[in-house]
Amino acid sequence: MSATAVALLSLGLMLLLIWGGLHVAVVLGLVSFVGVWIIRDDVGVAANLLAQASSDAIASHIFGVVPLFVLTGFLVAKADIGKDAFEVANQLFRRLRGGLGVATVASNAVFAAITGISIASAAVFTRVAVPQMMRFGYQPRFAVGVVAGSSVLGMLIPPSLLMILYGFLANQSVGELFTAGIVPGLLLAGAFTVGIVLAAYFKPDMVYAGGEMPVPDGPDMSAATMLLKLVPIVVMIGGVLGGLYGGLFTATEAGAVGAALALLIAVLRRKLSARTFWEVLTETGHVTVAVSFLIICASIYTRMLAMSGMPQFLMELIGQAGFGPFAFLLVYVAIVILLGTVIDSSSILLIVLPLMLPIAEQFGMNLIWFGVVTVVAVEIGLLTPPFGLSAYVVKSALNDPRITLGDIFRGTGPFTLIMVAVLLLLMAFPSLSLVLIE
């Protein structure tokens, strides 16, 4: 059996094992180990490769950025910063048609600029925004759709855990990836906002339970109260992103600053007991270990593919098919979106990037822009059935038997279409992603 055939079989076996329920990191490590063993016909070579990858893959200090940003996200959620962002946005947009939906998108964008974890956004705003929207007469399906749809901003607007993972796998600057995500993130948030307002004007039955915009009630929030709620948000964004883009510290140091600021805010607000803090640290450890294990096993997988000659084989195949760069990109995005219907975001990156990055480089593509396109395509998978992780998080956090998982997926449908339109725009105009770094 040729080395290329071994690599192809390993890819098919990998997908089957993941769909069967085996953890993706275990699958990557196991399949890669067996693949190298067969290719070299020497178990010793496979064992040495496994050992070398385990020691080299995450040896650099820059991997400290993972636990620091994860810790920041958990602390920010405990400090109720997301709730404050929603209350301020609600006050600003309450008299606009679809205003609570716009407020949810705006507050999700702000929350994303602090945490960078889509799942955290989905969990926080399900509890904060959905009950409010339903109380003010919004369709339940629309309410959960807005929350799940706008939660994807957490992985695009920097800081982003998915961009950090892409940076490690593609050997690209995490800081440049963060910068490249700003304009696309704001563009996506703007597209969501426009979509909500247009739906509220032209398809009110889709937005409002009664088909009419409800009259806002309750007292207006004073300017002083709004300012007080905004102070922690401004401090967090200014401290983390301002220092990072101002060149004061690296991405890893930005994560440390963010975690320190989030801890200080949570303590000052008396939102963090000793027990809660221990739970946050434990959860951070679990996520960090999971991500680190994934990176180690992805490193083994990458080396096995390089040894098999699979990237060169795929490049020759694409050349024979007459594909140009844009056709390749369309096929790549289609594969990523398809995988997103059955497996999670990190797993998609770990499986496809070792295969596709060498081809993208051969076509002379900018890997920072390629990363932004990849992240948006992967995030579409958070909204698509049957796996759509954001939909499951919303369902779990809401715990309302009146709203089914099918309702949530139907509610996210318009936002999925908006994401596809924005993705095509980013593919056609790379300058949208690169304008701030060129």
Side-chain angles (χ1 to χ4, degrees):
M1 186 184 297
S2 69
T4 304
V6 170
L8 283 170
L9 286 173
S10 72
L11 184 61
L13 179 62
M14 185 186 308
L15 292 174
L16 286 174
L17 291 174
I18 291 171
W19 288 337
L22 199 60
H23 192 277
V24 64
V26 175
V27 173
L28 281 167
L30 179 62
V31 169
S32 301
F33 176 80
V34 174
V36 173
W37 184 358
I38 295 172
I39 291 169
R40 288 298 179 89
D41 195 24
D42 189 341
V43 69
V45 173
N48 288 337
L49 184 66
L50 185 66
Q52 185 179 359
S54 299
S55 62
D56 293 348
I58 56 172
S60 172
H61 73 281
I62 64 172
F63 285 89
V65 73
V66 175
L68 291 170
F69 274 117
V70 171
L71 177 60
T72 301
F74 285 130
L75 288 173
V76 163
K78 292 293 182 185
D80 282 344
I81 292 177
K83 180 182 177 182
D84 287 349
F86 177 77
E87 289 176 353
V88 172
N90 178 30
Q91 178 63 41
L92 294 173
F93 300 113
R94 62 191 302 193
R95 288 178 173 81
L96 176 71
R97 282 188 175 270
L100 279 179
V102 174
T104 302
V105 172
S107 49
N108 242 320
V110 171
F111 194 71
I114 301 172
T115 61
I117 305 175
S118 291
I119 304 309
S121 298
V124 168
F125 288 101
T126 297
R127 299 187 183 98
V128 171
V130 172
Q132 281 284 83
M133 282 192 274
M134 291 174 64
R135 184 166 73 87
F136 283 107
Y138 282 72
Q139 289 278 14
R141 187 182 295 176
F142 174 81
V144 293
V146 170
V147 169
S150 58
S151 71
V152 302
L153 296 170
M155 286 301 188
L156 188 56
I157 295 177
S160 161
L161 195 59
L162 210 57
M163 282 190 173
I164 292 171
L165 182 57
Y166 175 89
F168 292 156
L169 294 173
N171 195 27
Q172 297 296 306
S173 164
V174 173
E176 287 192 358
L177 283 165
F178 282 178
T179 305
I182 294 175
V183 172
L186 295 177
L187 178 64
L188 184 58
F192 283 159
T193 299
V194 171
I196 290 169
V197 174
L198 290 176
Y201 271 99
F202 298 107
K203 295 279 287 183
D205 289 341
M206 183 177 124
V207 178
Y208 304 115
E212 293 289 337
M213 177 181 174
V215 178
D217 65 355
D220 288 343
M221 189 183 298
S222 68
T225 303
M226 291 174 64
L227 185 62
L228 196 61
K229 289 180 178 292
L230 284 173
V231 167
I233 298 170
V234 173
V235 168
M236 285 293 302
I237 295 176
V240 177
L241 298 185
L244 181 62
Y245 298 138
L248 298 178
F249 35 71
T250 65
T252 307
E253 291 163 347
V257 171
L261 289 174
L263 178 60
L264 180 62
I265 292 168
V267 169
L268 291 176
R269 289 186 160 192
R270 299 182 180 178
K271 299 287 185 181
L272 202 65
S273 64
R275 180 177 179 179
T276 306
F277 186 48
W278 177 250
E279 290 173 355
V280 166
L281 291 176
T282 304
E283 192 64 28
T284 300
H286 288 162
V287 174
T288 303
V289 169
V291 171
S292 299
F293 190 36
L294 283 168
I295 293 171
I296 289 171
C297 292
S299 174
I300 303 168
Y301 174 55
T302 302
R303 297 179 191 200
M304 187 273 287
L305 288 177
M307 191 178 292
S308 71
M310 174 61 86
Q312 293 86 346
F313 170 76
L314 286 177
M315 192 65 205
E316 290 173 6
L317 197 64
I318 288 171
Q320 291 170 2
F323 283 0
F326 197 75
F328 157 72
L329 198 60
L330 285 174
V331 172
Y332 168 69
V333 165
I335 291 171
V336 169
I337 293 175
L338 185 63
L339 286 174
T341 64
V342 287
I343 56 178
D344 66 278
S345 304
S346 300
S347 302
I348 295 170
L349 291 187
L350 296 167
I351 291 170
V352 301
L353 286 180
L355 282 168
M356 299 300 182
L357 279 171
I359 300 172
E361 286 183 291
Q362 286 286 333
F363 277 125
M365 293 180 177
N366 184 297
L367 293 188
I368 298 294
W369 162 70
F370 190 74
V372 173
V373 170
T374 299
V375 168
V376 177
V378 165
E379 287 294 276
I380 291 173
L382 287 177
L383 306 180
T384 50
F387 192 77
L389 194 55
S390 278
Y392 284 92
V393 172
V394 169
K395 175 64 177 171
S396 176
L398 190 60
N399 195 25
D400 187 338
R402 296 172 299 173
I403 300 176
T404 66
L405 196 60
D407 289 330
I408 299 172
F409 278 124
R410 282 187 285 272
T412 61
F415 296 93
T416 304
L417 294 176
I418 290 172
M419 285 192 73
V420 171
V422 171
L423 176 59
L424 292 173
L425 196 63
L426 295 173
M427 290 164 61
F429 301 100
S431 58
L432 290 171
S433 303
L434 304 175
V435 63
L436 297 181
I437 59 175
E438 288 182 339

